[in-house]
Amino acid sequence: MLFFKNKSRVTGGFTLIELLVVIAIIGLLSTIILAPISSARMKARDVRRIADMNQIRLALEMYYDDYGYYPQSDCGWDCNGYRYSYVLSSWNALAADLAPYVRKLGVDPLNSGACPPWGNQCYTYAYGNVGRNTQRIQYDLTAQLESPTHVDRCFVKSYTFYFNNQPWCGSYSAQIYEASPN
């Protein structure tokens, strides 16, 4: 006669519901942890943008001290043209003009292309609208900030057009940072 031992079934795994609960908890925790990291990265990019803009502005002022005018834009002087950091040939031309005053001309940390910085979600540096002969000596130097709470953005500063003092921030993005002194 054969005797069979009664083996009880022992399960060593997890049920599907237990796995789904663990995955949901991990997802929730990662969302809670990654949100501040994403915000910190955004703020760090804004800090870099402002530092780059200040460095470029200082180089432009040193250029002006030597020549009595600012470097031209893509269309020359006294026209509404810009050099954008996403257009490397144009930005490199500005870098060549400013080479004696700045070691390396910064570019936007995201440097998204095919858009001016005064549109939403467009991250590039812009230098242009340079006056010299027929317009007053001035220039625009702008970048788009990511943080909706930054105190130096257009919405807070209420920027105006230099030629008529009318506000222009409402027509464009409220996130623009204007570094030019005008």
Side-chain angles (χ1 to χ4, degrees):
M1 201 186 262
L2 295 172
F3 292 98
F4 293 97
K5 291 186 179 181
N6 187 5
K7 293 184 181 180
S8 63
R9 282 185 64 191
V10 177
T11 57
F14 296 102
T15 66
L16 181 60
I17 292 178
E18 291 171 330
L19 287 174
L20 290 175
V21 168
V22 169
I23 290 171
I25 291 171
I26 290 172
L28 180 64
L29 290 175
S30 66
T31 302
I32 291 170
I33 292 170
L34 291 179
I37 291 173
S38 176
S39 176
R41 286 181 180 159
M42 177 179 61
K43 289 177 183 177
R45 285 190 297 266
D46 282 350
V47 167
R48 178 173 165 206
R49 285 180 180 103
I50 292 171
D52 284 350
M53 291 283 104
N54 289 334
Q55 183 181 29
I56 295 167
R57 191 181 92 231
L58 288 174
L60 287 167
E61 295 306 323
M62 288 187 278
Y63 183 99
Y64 179 83
D65 285 344
D66 286 348
Y67 296 99
Y69 53 87
Y70 297 106
Q72 64 183 340
S73 68
D74 265 356
C75 63
W77 289 280
D78 304 315
C79 57
N80 192 16
Y82 287 83
R83 293 183 179 188
Y84 301 106
S85 64
Y86 74 87
V87 180
L88 290 181
S89 60
S90 176
W91 201 246
N92 287 341
L94 180 61
D97 287 339
L98 299 178
Y101 314 106
V102 64
R103 189 172 57 96
K104 183 176 185 216
L105 198 61
V107 298
D108 188 272
L110 296 177
N111 215 26
S112 56
C115 55
W118 38 87
N120 286 317
Q121 303 298 313
C122 180
Y123 302 105
T124 185
Y125 297 160
Y127 165 77
N129 198 19
V130 183
R132 179 178 172 193
N133 302 312
T134 60
Q135 296 178 12
R136 73 181 178 98
I137 296 176
Q138 56 87 41
Y139 63 89
D140 289 336
L141 182 61
T142 61
Q144 178 86 230
L145 299 178
E146 292 177 73
S147 173
T149 59
H150 202 286
V151 296
D152 287 328
R153 62 195 171 94
C154 183
F155 182 76
V156 176
K157 294 291 189 175
S158 300
Y159 298 135
T160 59
F161 289 109
Y162 71 90
F163 50 86
N164 64 6
N165 283 338
Q166 295 298 311
W168 58 262
C169 185
S171 331
Y172 304 109
S173 169
Q175 298 302 104
I176 295 175
Y177 174 75
E178 176 77 39
S180 45
N182 306 308

